[in-house]
Amino acid sequence: MTAYATPRSVADVVKLLSERGDAAKILAGGQSLLVLLRQGLVSPQILVSLRQVTELRELSFSQAEGAIIGVCVTQSQIERDPRIRSSYTALAEAASVVATRQVRNLGTIGGNLCHADPTADPPAALIALGAQLEIAGPSRTRRVAVEAFFTDFMEVDLAPEEVLTRILLPPVQGHSGSAYLKFRLRDVDTALVGAAVGLTLSDKGEIRDSRIGLSAAGSTPVRAVAAEAVLNGSPVSDEVIARAAQAAAASCEPFSDTEASDWYRRQMVRVFVQRSTNQALERARAA
Amino acid sequence: MMRASREIRLDADDKLTGAARYATDLVLQGMLVGYIVRSDRPHARIRSIDTAEAESFPGVVAIVTARDAPGRFGEVIKDQTAFASDVVRYIGEPIAAIAADTQESARAAAELILVDYEDLTPVFEPHQALDQKAPLVHSEWESYAAPGVLIREGNVCSRATLVQGDVDSAFQKAKYLIEQTFSTHSTHQAPMETRAVVADVDARGRVTLHASTQHPFGVRAQIAEALGLPLTDVRVIAPHVGGGFGSKLESSVELYAALLARKARLPVKLVNSREDDLSTGNPRHPMTIRLKSGLDADGQLLAREARIVMDGGAYAAGSPVLTGVAVNLATGPYRVPNVRVEALAVYTNKLPFSAYRGPTGPQMVFAVESHTDAVARELGIDPLEFRFRHVYKDGDRAPNGQILQGVGLTDALNSAAEALGWRAKDSSSNGLLRGKGLSCCWWTTTSGAAACSIKMNEDGTLVVQTGATEIGTGAVTAGVAQIIAAELGVELDQIKLVSGDTETTPYDAGAQGSRTLFNMGAAARDAAVQVREQLFQRAADLLEAHADDLEVERGEIFVRGSRAQSVSYAALMSGAMWSTGAVAATGTFLAPPTAHDAQALKGSLYPTFNSPSFHCHAAEVDVDPDTGLVKVQRFVAAQDVGFAVNPTYIEGQIQGGAAQGIGYALLEALHFEDGRILNPNLALYKLPTTRDVPDIQAVIVEHPSEVGPYGIKGVGEPPVIASAAAVANAVYAATGVQITCTPLTPERVYRALHGEPE
């Protein structure tokens, strides 16, 4: 039998985790964990529900600090929030294509990150937006860049006694824009490939501060640093975008499965980085 | 008077409100849970099976293995046993079955069954299995009982041929020769309800199976054969059935539940998980199809040669029948004077492939209709025009020698092309490539005995007993009921239907082969006419008229031309049981065999397409050249149904079938690796959703058949058959690239567009 706990604060969650260690599993929206439980892939002794930890449902914005998104905010809330849609468009777009409406109504942004499925959509968008993750533990609270959070296939930088609490998005200034494009066979599918791009246009019309996140292009969500390097400091041109897309394709390590070969995924990384960059640029110009 | 009518089917309320009970819902006192233990080897000799530890596991009540069921059975070739005894031939083949108090105990006990295997060399692909030196999947194939007409040899479990005219000299005379090879993949039927059964047993070991089946009488026969029981010891009842599409024709879970219930002397429920259903079913045959056509200078088809290789999997199942079906599809619905066709079904160490809605149809028509477009291109003729020049017309003779009648193909082609706007110019946008494609086919209405009983109750209402099974089409709960209502002049709600029970309903050959309404409709009409005659005889005395001058409407019998005097069924039946007697009749039907040229065919168990139906699908697609993604934007399916008893449910069949056909063309695929299915779940096995299928415009064409009641033809299977070819031809029109392999996944299309081999 699995026990079920409903702590009311982050401190209580951390306390429970510290006591139970590996025997505990955190339950947020349950859209990934329940599948694993049903398939017998995990069998925790205790489920620690975050449902009553109201502080984790925070969703706030400020000019100076940017956005703070509690881990229990659902994909549906994110996709519909006007402030996220206008300032952090890639994230709203990523949230809007997670699985199905039913899953998005229950599934949380934090649960999605901790499940660390390399095909998931929000991680790529958060990489493109330069998100930091806040993690609470018994002795301290720490921050980590989102791309560093994913350590291996479905593994994250989170100790058994730690809990992911908040996602911090930097403020958006100037001519900035972002986009996430997901390629999949059916609307209900995980990404065959997903590409998120965030960037800013300088007064001179050069691209700066670009960030590119990829879904389904490796064993973890991937930041395409080589592609960013091609874009940063360059004036906008089809040739530059094509080179950046090529660099993203060359530097990722996609997998083969029943849906597609690694070779094809690499081609699609190129296509979708290109499309996503164009989309982000269009938004940056309009900003 | 029989008129087309959009009546609401009799099972609509139950199904819409959730009141309908399925086999899965049934709970019996003391019921155990059954579980099948399966092989994880594709080909191995079993040295020993040790069940001792599993038998003593808490909660386990009975375990059965090959020792408990040694009998051989099989739909055509008796090559199967309930459990592998000596050799396992595919991953997933049953080794043992366990009945326990819970699913958890049964699964835990299964882990304790020890099987000592000696691995044998497997053979996974038909072309390897056809090699002289290939290991035999069935080393004892010659000893199996099988119909004498079959041609078998080693790993070839059936070879059917069709020869007409002189192909070689026609090829020599031909101005154009076009040869192509196509390959198709396997897909799973995916009914909403997985295979499910509850087996009950009496003190003498007689079993009653509440089974989610398409064919209660077939399952009864197979279980009786496997267990060596008389038919009276096995009763099969089909409650509401949540779809089948061919996956529930043969006994599967039923046999194991029957064995366990007889051993435990307790009821046993056995329900497949979705994973079990996907990985141990009888999916669609993968096929390789080589076609060669010769045409004269005028562009007339002179000759067609075809070689068809079907992957049959580890057991023959329906394959020996389906080779015969495939040869009849090799020329398409077109006039070709010289024909040479060979179809082989080959044993391999994969799960058995068998019936899936229109078996061999989607594969054959994908090849033949893709090829038809390629031929038209070679000649520089519009694909529609090429088809108009060659399509069958009334009085034409098919290569098997049957004379065609009631051919609605020109109408179907015309209406599909018109509805799609065939001649309108394609407009593409957003960098997408747009194109239109057509595909035609003919299909069979399978015969087989049907019988139906009608009893009139003391209040004038009716009980109808039919062995036919309602698997969702409406053929029974609308079609059969509407025929009886029309013949007896009553409303549909006066009828109580009892169907699909081997003991309380008369025989039917199963919900297969698009046969239900064609055959059972004729039996029902026969019964209804008899009942009407009985009633009119009685009314004639009361109304002082001749029975031939009577008519009935809304249960009131009156003299034709004068409604002044009438008598109702209720009045006629009131007191009848003590005066005029009971009113009841049984109608039967067996379609006469279709005349054909028996000399032309060898090794075929399916020589003719009885009361054939004719079809045309037309698709408009967008292709993204950067990704290879194909989106079907518009789709029209025109179908010659002979006569539409209930257009609503026919349109539903057409739309559902075309959706399955689009899934087959673009999305659905079972992926195999060394005989193992890699994607046995509905996340990785990609059924089309409502977002992936456009509105499908169903067009009903009616050219009556001579044999079917009111001219009707089979409806159920053909809507799935022509879709993939229409999509593939549209992809060619959009891109200028022909894809000869199914499914048309984005990667496959992308590779074809960019000249990258797979």
Side-chain angles (χ1 to χ4, degrees), chain A residues 19-113:
Chain A
E19 288 163 12
R20 305 299 294 263
D22 277 339
K25 267 273 171 205
I26 294 173
L27 174 68
Q31 296 307 292
S32 302
L33 182 59
L34 262 59
V35 177
L36 300 182
L37 285 170
R38 186 169 176 271
Q39 291 177 337
L41 293 173
V42 293
S43 40
Q45 289 169 15
I46 181 165
L47 288 175
V48 179
S49 168
L50 300 185
R51 184 144 297 183
Q52 309 221 9
V53 188
T54 46
E55 60 194 285
L56 295 178
R57 284 189 235 150
E58 174 185 10
L59 185 55
S60 64
F61 299 83
S62 74
Q63 287 276 312
E65 303 281 326
I68 297 173
I69 305 173
V71 286
C72 286
V73 174
T74 65
Q75 312 289 2
S76 282
Q77 281 174 277
I78 290 171
E79 76 177 280
R80 288 168 178 169
D81 190 286
R83 295 159 300 185
I84 296 179
R85 288 163 69 110
S86 61
S87 300
Y88 305 101
T89 315
L91 180 60
E93 286 178 331
S96 74
V97 291
V98 170
T100 59
R101 167 64 56 208
Q102 293 89 331
V103 170
R104 295 198 291 277
N105 283 342
L106 287 169
T108 64
I109 183 75
N112 186 287
L113 289 171

Side-chain angles (χ1 to χ4, degrees), chain A residues 183-189 192 258-261 263-264 267-268 270-272 275, chain B residues 624 626-627 629 667 671 678 682-683 685-687 689 691-692 746-747 750-751 756:
Chain A
F183 182 50
R184 62 208 164 168
L185 264 62
R186 306 174 298 174
D187 285 356
V188 296
D189 281 328
L192 195 144
T258 56
E259 200 165 314
S261 69
W263 178 86
Y264 178 67
Q267 304 303 314
M268 291 307 104
R270 178 176 54 74
V271 169
F272 281 86
R275 289 182 179 183
Chain B
D624 183 341
D626 294 340
T627 64
L629 187 71
L667 290 166
H671 293 273
L678 298 174
L682 294 184
Y685 184 86
K686 296 179 184 298
L687 291 169
T689 70
R691 303 287 296 269
D692 305 299
E747 176 163 358
Y750 181 89
R751 283 179 183 272
E756 286 282 341

